[in-house]
């Protein structure tokens, strides 16, 4: 399967097609989503759909990429990266956890993982748009925080990978294995407080 740097033509009904795709993919999964169903949900003809996306895999990747990029940009816009590390980390962690625990976040994650063996490009695009994007932004912040003397870190890549994993403690395994899907704010704040505390115990300067 060769989907490297695919060319996507945009037009008047592009957003309409993506909205229909999101509805059907999240309801039926990747394998269960048919082009007919997506075209029907989008209110367009199959010919119009294919004029934008040559195959279903490309449509799924673009739908997930745009939504995850929008989520990441909205989250980054709400974070004050000049605040003390405890505040910034709490904001970053809360944003990641809220996305991870949304219906969209968990369903796209499950689809990408389930289909990544047959369609490696799906998994790669999911990683690049989501986890890798947040890793880069978090690493950028950690470098600046160390330069200001607020943190002490030698391996920035490792530290930027550790914090998101700390934020997944308990909740993420329960979500992935279908034990729970609804988590209250108290559950998230409990895990988040522990993640920030542990990260600061390792990398704080105080």
């Amino acid at each position: 399967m060769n989907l490297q740097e695919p060319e996507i033509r945009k037009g008047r009904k592009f957003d309409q097609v993506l909205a229909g795709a999101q509805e059907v993919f999240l309801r039926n999964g990747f394998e269960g989503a048919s082009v007919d169903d997506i075209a029907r949900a989008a209110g367009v003809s199959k010919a119009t759909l294919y004029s934008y996306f040559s195959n279903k895999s490309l449509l799924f990747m673009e739908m997930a990429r745009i939504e995850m990029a929008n989520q990441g940009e909205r989250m980054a816009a709400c974070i004050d990266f000049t605040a003390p590390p405890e505040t910034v980390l709490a904001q970053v962690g809360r944003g990641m956890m809220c996305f991870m625990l949304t219906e969209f976040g968990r369903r796209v994650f499950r689809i990408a993982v389930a289909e990544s063996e047959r369609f490696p490009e799906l998994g790669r695009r999911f990683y690049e748009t989501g986890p890798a994007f947040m890793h880069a932004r978090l690493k950028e912040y950690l470098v600046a925080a160390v330069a200001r003397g607020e943190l002490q870190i030698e391996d920035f890549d490792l530290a930027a990978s550790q914090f998101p994993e700390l934020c997944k403690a308990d909740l993420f395994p329960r979500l992935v294995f279908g034990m729970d899907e609804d988590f209250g704010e108290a559950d998230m704040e409990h895990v988040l407080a522990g993640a920030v505390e542990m990260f600061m115990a390792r990398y704080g300067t105080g």
Side-chain angles (χ1 to χ4, degrees):
M1 179 180 180
N2 183 13
L3 294 177
Q4 296 291 333
E5 302 302 329
E7 181 178 350
I8 296 175
R9 186 183 74 83
K10 295 187 178 181
R12 184 168 56 87
K13 296 186 177 182
F14 182 81
D15 292 338
Q16 195 172 322
V17 170
L18 287 179
Q22 180 169 326
E23 175 188 333
V24 175
F25 280 130
L26 297 189
R27 184 182 67 229
N28 300 340
F30 181 81
E31 186 64 27
S34 72
V35 173
D36 287 326
D37 288 339
I38 294 171
R40 189 177 303 112
V44 301
S45 67
K46 287 176 64 175
T48 297
L49 189 152
Y50 279 124
S51 73
Y52 295 128
F53 300 97
S54 59
N55 58 67
K56 187 172 72 170
S57 298
L58 183 57
L59 175 53
F60 174 82
M61 288 189 295
E62 185 67 3
M63 179 276 295
R65 183 192 69 78
I66 289 177
E67 181 62 26
M68 292 176 68
N70 289 340
Q71 292 271 1
E73 289 173 3
R74 286 194 294 267
M75 187 180 81
C78 295
I79 297 172
D80 179 6
F81 287 101
T82 65
E86 294 89 343
T87 301
V88 176
L89 291 169
Q91 292 173 337
V92 170
R94 190 173 293 110
M96 289 189 298
M97 293 171 73
C98 286
F99 175 75
M100 175 182 73
L101 299 177
T102 62
E103 180 180 12
F104 177 86
R106 68 173 181 263
R107 289 197 178 188
V108 169
F109 172 82
R110 285 171 174 167
I111 291 171
V113 171
E115 301 295 336
S116 61
E117 184 172 345
R118 291 193 306 144
F119 304 113
E121 189 72 2
L122 291 178
R124 186 180 74 82
R125 289 295 180 86
F126 176 86
Y127 177 79
E128 289 178 349
T129 306
F133 172 82
M134 288 310 305
H135 178 93
R137 294 302 301 271
L138 181 56
K139 179 181 175 181
E140 181 181 326
Y141 163 72
L142 295 177
V143 170
V146 168
R148 292 193 297 265
E150 298 172 344
L151 296 171
Q152 47 187 4
I153 300 173
E154 294 182 1
D155 190 334
F156 291 102
D157 279 310
L158 178 61
S161 296
Q162 287 174 329
F163 183 68
E165 294 304 314
L166 290 172
C167 293
K168 292 179 181 179
D170 184 40
L171 305 185
F172 193 65
R174 285 159 57 191
L175 179 71
V176 169
F177 292 108
M179 303 301 295
D180 289 295
E181 290 194 346
D182 296 317
F183 298 95
E185 186 174 346
D187 295 318
M188 291 190 288
E189 291 299 323
H190 176 67
V191 172
L192 179 59
V196 173
E197 182 179 356
M198 184 169 291
F199 192 88
M200 292 303 297
R202 171 64 179 85
Y203 296 115
T205 57

